[in-house]
Amino acid sequence: MSTPVLLSAKAPSAHVTAALMLAVVWVAMGQGTQAQDQPKLATTVAEPVEDLGVSDEEFKTRSRSLFDGQILARFEGDASWFRIEDESIVAGRLDQPIPKNQFLATTEKFDNFEFRAEIRMRGEGRNAGIQFRSRRPNKRDEVPPHEMIGYQADAGYSAERSIWGALYDESRRRRMLQLPEPPFEVEWKRPAAGQGTATKTSEQADQDSQSATPEQTDRPEQTDWVEMRIVCHGPRIQISLNGVQTVDYIETEEGIPQVGVIALQIHSGKPAEAWYRNLRILGLD
């Protein structure tokens, strides 16, 4: 086994102590064993950490909307893969596979901020996410122009593991930077007739599901709405889902930009939709 890499010397003292203790254990376990190639992943620490963002009340009062529910002003992307429905941005399609990753990106750039949005997924393909501090490729990158380069807060599954709330580095280092541990699980279920993507209570959804006819069971599986919160301040990034923090990461590699656009993704693969709504952002000092 290889010794885990500490993310930053700037982390709070409690984290540094815990990380050093973990490193000692790993070194002891690794003595006398053959080294193996392991992905350099960090997992979230199940202890309280400093919240870089603001309170719900302050965010509600001071944040601004990035999408009014009606038109895709100040966004750019392939319009054939994005549409507006029920005041949501819908990425992807259920009637055909998605041949390549697609992103709908803001034309505005952001550096230090708190961003919140709600996301839900439908269909067979189960991989999407929200890019931030990102950019479109240029010719020197040798990356297809439809892609993005930068951080992504993931949603869905990869290799049958939940990656909801994970931090991925898209088209740059091309690896997970931090995975929630334990995984953040989101339930998938078939909506009853008339439910669609409308908001219902869990009790109403269960009652509808129990009364569903055989024809209704052909409807694609979907998740409930999940609130995603992304906070960036300097080299530090925090991600939360439904109020549960899944990532607390400090960037230590030099030359990684701390500014960029935000983009909504639908991943290539089986027919799928990712629905995004209530996109709001607040700049942080």
Side-chain angles (χ1 to χ4, degrees):
M1 295 183 181
S2 59
T3 303
V5 179
L6 300 182
L7 294 179
S8 174
K10 298 180 181 179
S13 58
H15 288 180
V16 173
T17 302
L20 289 173
M21 293 175 63
L22 180 60
V24 171
V25 173
W26 273 56
V27 171
M29 293 176 60
Q31 292 178 349
T33 62
Q34 184 177 0
Q36 300 179 5
D37 292 331
Q38 297 289 344
K40 294 180 180 179
L41 299 180
T43 55
T44 52
V45 181
E47 60 181 79
V49 297
E50 175 191 9
D51 189 333
L52 300 178
V54 301
S55 68
D56 291 345
E57 185 62 31
E58 182 175 357
F59 187 84
K60 181 179 179 180
T61 302
R62 297 181 53 214
S63 65
R64 63 183 174 93
S65 175
L66 295 181
F67 170 58
D68 65 1
Q70 304 298 323
I71 58 173
L72 293 177
R74 300 186 298 278
F75 284 90
E76 59 86 11
D78 187 341
S80 62
W81 292 101
F82 297 91
R83 70 181 191 274
I84 299 173
E85 186 174 333
D86 293 339
E87 298 188 341
S88 303
I89 298 174
V90 184
R93 298 175 63 169
L94 295 177
D95 60 354
Q96 67 180 79
I98 300 161
K100 57 188 179 183
N101 295 348
Q102 296 291 345
F103 299 87
L104 185 71
T106 63
T107 56
E108 183 178 357
K109 296 180 179 179
F110 308 92
D111 49 13
N112 297 323
F113 62 85
E114 177 170 338
F115 171 84
R116 299 190 190 189
E118 291 176 291
I119 176 175
R120 79 179 312 167
M121 299 181 67
R122 303 179 69 201
E124 299 177 74
R126 299 187 174 187
N127 195 321
I130 297 177
Q131 291 275 145
F132 57 97
R133 287 184 168 178
S134 300
R135 64 175 176 85
R136 290 288 187 184
N138 55 46
K139 293 182 179 180
R140 293 174 297 177
D141 294 314
E142 297 183 352
V143 174
H146 64 272
E147 285 283 355
M148 299 292 299
I149 297 176
Y151 297 112
Q152 178 163 299
D154 268 329
Y157 284 79
S158 178
E160 299 183 358
R161 186 200 193 279
S162 172
I163 54 172
W164 281 94
L167 178 63
Y168 182 70
D169 198 26
E170 183 85 34
S171 298
R172 188 166 49 197
R173 288 166 286 191
R174 294 181 172 86
R175 62 180 174 88
M176 286 290 182
L177 300 177
Q178 199 167 90
L179 274 169
E181 192 60 50
F184 189 97
E185 298 292 348
V186 175
E187 182 182 4
W188 291 71
K189 52 192 175 184
R190 299 188 187 279
Q195 182 179 353
T197 56
T199 302
K200 288 193 175 187
T201 66
S202 298
E203 182 178 352
Q204 289 171 328
D206 289 341
Q207 291 174 351
D208 288 345
S209 178
Q210 293 171 5
S211 61
T213 65
E215 291 77 10
Q216 292 164 2
T217 61
D218 291 334
R219 297 173 182 271
E221 288 188 326
Q222 66 182 34
T223 70
D224 288 331
W225 288 102
V226 176
E227 183 185 62
M228 179 175 285
R229 178 177 184 250
I230 303 169
V231 185
C232 295
H233 197 281
R236 194 166 177 184
I237 297 168
Q238 293 180 339
I239 300 174
S240 301
L241 298 178
N242 290 344
V244 177
Q245 188 174 97
T246 58
V247 161
D248 184 21
Y249 176 79
I250 298 178
E251 183 60 69
T252 60
E253 186 171 325
E254 294 183 2
I256 301 296
Q258 295 183 10
V259 63
V261 303
I262 290 172
L264 313 178
Q265 186 213 45
I266 185 67
H267 199 281
S268 62
K270 296 179 180 180
E273 291 178 345
W275 290 57
Y276 300 92
R277 71 179 184 185
N278 296 331
L279 281 64
R280 302 190 65 85
I281 196 164
L282 172 65
L284 299 177
D285 298 329

